[in-house]
mmCIF file of all heavy atoms in Angstrom:
data_model
loop_
_atom_site.group_PDB
_atom_site.id
_atom_site.type_symbol
_atom_site.label_atom_id
_atom_site.label_comp_id
_atom_site.label_asym_id
_atom_site.label_seq_id
_atom_site.Cartn_x
_atom_site.Cartn_y
_atom_site.Cartn_z
ATOM 1 N N LEU C 98 -4.923 -1.840 91.441
ATOM 2 C CA LEU C 98 -6.041 -2.015 92.317
ATOM 3 C C LEU C 98 -6.006 -3.381 92.983
ATOM 4 O O LEU C 98 -5.760 -4.374 92.373
ATOM 5 C CB LEU C 98 -7.355 -1.865 91.448
ATOM 6 C CG LEU C 98 -8.643 -2.493 91.984
ATOM 7 C CD1 LEU C 98 -9.058 -1.808 93.259
ATOM 8 C CD2 LEU C 98 -9.714 -2.459 90.979
ATOM 9 N N VAL C 99 -6.186 -3.409 94.298
ATOM 10 C CA VAL C 99 -6.373 -4.646 95.073
ATOM 11 C C VAL C 99 -7.644 -4.538 95.885
ATOM 12 O O VAL C 99 -7.843 -3.462 96.546
ATOM 13 C CB VAL C 99 -5.160 -4.987 96.012
ATOM 14 C CG1 VAL C 99 -5.456 -6.115 96.940
ATOM 15 C CG2 VAL C 99 -3.925 -5.238 95.158
ATOM 16 N N ALA C 100 -8.468 -5.588 95.785
ATOM 17 C CA ALA C 100 -9.699 -5.571 96.551
ATOM 18 C C ALA C 100 -9.757 -6.824 97.472
ATOM 19 O O ALA C 100 -9.194 -7.883 97.062
ATOM 20 C CB ALA C 100 -10.927 -5.565 95.653
ATOM 21 N N HIS C 101 -10.377 -6.738 98.607
ATOM 22 C CA HIS C 101 -10.511 -7.820 99.575
ATOM 23 C C HIS C 101 -11.922 -8.198 99.840
ATOM 24 O O HIS C 101 -12.705 -7.328 100.119
ATOM 25 C CB HIS C 101 -9.773 -7.477 100.843
ATOM 26 C CG HIS C 101 -9.878 -8.533 101.884
ATOM 27 N ND1 HIS C 101 -10.456 -8.408 103.150
ATOM 28 C CD2 HIS C 101 -9.387 -9.862 101.910
ATOM 29 C CE1 HIS C 101 -10.369 -9.538 103.848
ATOM 30 N NE2 HIS C 101 -9.741 -10.405 103.130
ATOM 31 N N TRP C 102 -12.311 -9.462 99.721
ATOM 32 C CA TRP C 102 -13.616 -9.958 100.110
ATOM 33 C C TRP C 102 -13.609 -10.439 101.546
ATOM 34 O O TRP C 102 -12.827 -11.372 101.911
ATOM 35 C CB TRP C 102 -14.087 -10.978 99.188
ATOM 36 C CG TRP C 102 -15.359 -11.723 99.524
ATOM 37 C CD1 TRP C 102 -15.528 -12.896 100.172
ATOM 38 C CD2 TRP C 102 -16.721 -11.183 99.369
ATOM 39 N NE1 TRP C 102 -16.928 -13.139 100.375
ATOM 40 C CE2 TRP C 102 -17.671 -12.154 99.910
ATOM 41 C CE3 TRP C 102 -17.204 -10.017 98.779
ATOM 42 C CZ2 TRP C 102 -18.970 -11.930 99.798
ATOM 43 C CZ3 TRP C 102 -18.557 -9.817 98.707
ATOM 44 C CH2 TRP C 102 -19.411 -10.786 99.273
ATOM 45 N N ASN C 103 -14.428 -9.834 102.424
ATOM 46 C CA ASN C 103 -14.478 -10.208 103.833
ATOM 47 C C ASN C 103 -15.578 -11.128 104.270
ATOM 48 O O ASN C 103 -15.883 -11.261 105.388
ATOM 49 C CB ASN C 103 -14.459 -8.939 104.710
ATOM 50 C CG ASN C 103 -15.716 -8.120 104.435
ATOM 51 O OD1 ASN C 103 -16.668 -8.538 103.833
ATOM 52 N ND2 ASN C 103 -15.708 -6.892 104.974
ATOM 53 N N GLY C 104 -16.284 -11.643 103.266
ATOM 54 C CA GLY C 104 -17.423 -12.530 103.541
ATOM 55 C C GLY C 104 -18.765 -11.818 103.252
ATOM 56 O O GLY C 104 -19.857 -12.491 103.219
ATOM 57 N N ARG C 105 -18.701 -10.468 103.257
ATOM 58 C CA ARG C 105 -19.904 -9.675 103.065
ATOM 59 C C ARG C 105 -19.887 -8.700 101.809
ATOM 60 O O ARG C 105 -20.809 -8.532 101.176
ATOM 61 C CB ARG C 105 -20.218 -8.862 104.305
ATOM 62 C CG ARG C 105 -20.448 -9.718 105.564
ATOM 63 C CD ARG C 105 -20.624 -8.867 106.785
ATOM 64 N NE ARG C 105 -19.522 -7.955 106.968
ATOM 65 C CZ ARG C 105 -18.418 -8.308 107.696
ATOM 66 N NH1 ARG C 105 -18.283 -9.555 108.139
ATOM 67 N NH2 ARG C 105 -17.381 -7.480 107.879
ATOM 68 N N ALA C 106 -18.664 -8.181 101.609
ATOM 69 C CA ALA C 106 -18.551 -7.172 100.503
ATOM 70 C C ALA C 106 -17.101 -7.093 100.082
ATOM 71 O O ALA C 106 -16.189 -7.424 100.853
ATOM 72 C CB ALA C 106 -19.065 -5.804 100.987
ATOM 73 N N TRP C 107 -16.895 -6.575 98.835
ATOM 74 C CA TRP C 107 -15.566 -6.299 98.382
ATOM 75 C C TRP C 107 -15.182 -4.881 98.888
ATOM 76 O O TRP C 107 -15.939 -3.977 98.803
ATOM 77 C CB TRP C 107 -15.517 -6.275 96.848
ATOM 78 C CG TRP C 107 -15.541 -7.556 96.221
ATOM 79 C CD1 TRP C 107 -16.649 -8.180 95.577
ATOM 80 C CD2 TRP C 107 -14.469 -8.481 96.087
ATOM 81 N NE1 TRP C 107 -16.280 -9.443 95.069
ATOM 82 C CE2 TRP C 107 -14.961 -9.651 95.424
ATOM 83 C CE3 TRP C 107 -13.121 -8.514 96.541
ATOM 84 C CZ2 TRP C 107 -14.202 -10.762 95.152
ATOM 85 C CZ3 TRP C 107 -12.332 -9.597 96.233
ATOM 86 C CH2 TRP C 107 -12.874 -10.746 95.531
ATOM 87 N N GLN C 108 -13.932 -4.777 99.395
ATOM 88 C CA GLN C 108 -13.422 -3.501 99.874
ATOM 89 C C GLN C 108 -12.052 -3.221 99.226
ATOM 90 O O GLN C 108 -11.227 -4.129 99.190
ATOM 91 C CB GLN C 108 -13.341 -3.536 101.348
ATOM 92 C CG GLN C 108 -14.661 -3.658 102.104
ATOM 93 C CD GLN C 108 -14.400 -3.642 103.609
ATOM 94 O OE1 GLN C 108 -13.416 -4.084 104.114
ATOM 95 N NE2 GLN C 108 -15.450 -3.196 104.349
ATOM 96 N N ARG C 109 -11.872 -2.016 98.749
ATOM 97 C CA ARG C 109 -10.518 -1.613 98.308
ATOM 98 C C ARG C 109 -9.522 -1.543 99.500
ATOM 99 O O ARG C 109 -9.904 -1.239 100.591
ATOM 100 C CB ARG C 109 -10.569 -0.282 97.680
ATOM 101 C CG ARG C 109 -11.312 -0.289 96.310
ATOM 102 C CD ARG C 109 -11.544 1.156 95.808
ATOM 103 N NE ARG C 109 -12.114 1.071 94.467
ATOM 104 C CZ ARG C 109 -11.424 1.007 93.376
ATOM 105 N NH1 ARG C 109 -10.120 1.084 93.367
ATOM 106 N NH2 ARG C 109 -12.039 0.937 92.198
ATOM 107 N N VAL C 110 -8.290 -1.845 99.212
ATOM 108 C CA VAL C 110 -7.224 -1.747 100.261
ATOM 109 C C VAL C 110 -6.213 -0.737 99.844
ATOM 110 O O VAL C 110 -5.892 -0.568 98.680
ATOM 111 C CB VAL C 110 -6.621 -3.133 100.500
ATOM 112 C CG1 VAL C 110 -7.647 -4.156 100.979
ATOM 113 C CG2 VAL C 110 -5.873 -3.647 99.318
ATOM 114 N N ALA C 111 -5.598 -0.130 100.860
ATOM 115 C CA ALA C 111 -4.628 0.895 100.598
ATOM 116 C C ALA C 111 -3.326 0.227 100.073
ATOM 117 O O ALA C 111 -2.888 -0.806 100.652
ATOM 118 C CB ALA C 111 -4.334 1.695 101.864
ATOM 119 N N LEU C 112 -2.718 0.810 99.090
ATOM 120 C CA LEU C 112 -1.460 0.298 98.526
ATOM 121 C C LEU C 112 -0.362 1.403 98.575
ATOM 122 O O LEU C 112 -0.646 2.555 98.676
ATOM 123 C CB LEU C 112 -1.734 -0.093 97.014
ATOM 124 C CG LEU C 112 -2.709 -1.186 96.770
ATOM 125 C CD1 LEU C 112 -2.944 -1.347 95.262
ATOM 126 C CD2 LEU C 112 -2.286 -2.502 97.428
ATOM 127 N N PRO C 113 0.881 0.924 98.536
ATOM 128 C CA PRO C 113 1.974 1.932 98.486
ATOM 129 C C PRO C 113 1.923 2.839 97.261
ATOM 130 O O PRO C 113 1.310 2.425 96.269
ATOM 131 C CB PRO C 113 3.235 1.084 98.440
ATOM 132 C CG PRO C 113 2.786 -0.375 98.874
ATOM 133 C CD PRO C 113 1.430 -0.452 98.416
ATOM 134 N N ARG C 114 2.474 3.966 97.350
ATOM 135 C CA ARG C 114 2.538 4.860 96.234
ATOM 136 C C ARG C 114 3.652 4.310 95.249
ATOM 137 O O ARG C 114 4.766 4.159 95.617
ATOM 138 C CB ARG C 114 2.880 6.265 96.626
ATOM 139 C CG ARG C 114 2.924 7.265 95.444
ATOM 140 C CD ARG C 114 3.109 8.668 95.899
ATOM 141 N NE ARG C 114 3.151 9.621 94.806
ATOM 142 C CZ ARG C 114 2.171 9.989 94.170
ATOM 143 N NH1 ARG C 114 0.892 9.685 94.513
ATOM 144 N NH2 ARG C 114 2.264 10.861 93.157
ATOM 145 N N ILE C 115 3.202 3.959 94.068
ATOM 146 C CA ILE C 115 4.129 3.260 93.132
ATOM 147 C C ILE C 115 4.632 4.181 92.090
ATOM 148 O O ILE C 115 5.856 4.233 91.786
ATOM 149 C CB ILE C 115 3.431 2.004 92.464
ATOM 150 C CG1 ILE C 115 2.882 1.093 93.561
ATOM 151 C CG2 ILE C 115 4.296 1.361 91.454
ATOM 152 C CD1 ILE C 115 4.018 0.456 94.364
ATOM 153 N N GLY C 116 3.827 4.876 91.347
ATOM 154 C CA GLY C 116 4.233 5.734 90.253
ATOM 155 C C GLY C 116 3.010 6.358 89.613
ATOM 156 O O GLY C 116 1.918 6.379 90.193
ATOM 157 N N THR C 117 3.191 6.832 88.405
ATOM 158 C CA THR C 117 2.087 7.594 87.730
ATOM 159 C C THR C 117 1.367 6.696 86.747
ATOM 160 O O THR C 117 0.271 7.056 86.246
ATOM 161 C CB THR C 117 2.584 8.852 87.005
ATOM 162 O OG1 THR C 117 3.673 8.434 86.109
ATOM 163 C CG2 THR C 117 3.170 9.791 88.030
#
Side-chain angles (χ1 to χ4, degrees):
L98 159 65
V99 171
H101 179 241
W102 174 258
N103 61 11
R105 299 178 302 276
W107 286 103
Q108 297 179 332
R109 291 171 175 269
V110 299
L112 298 175
R114 183 172 178 81
I115 301 298
T117 57

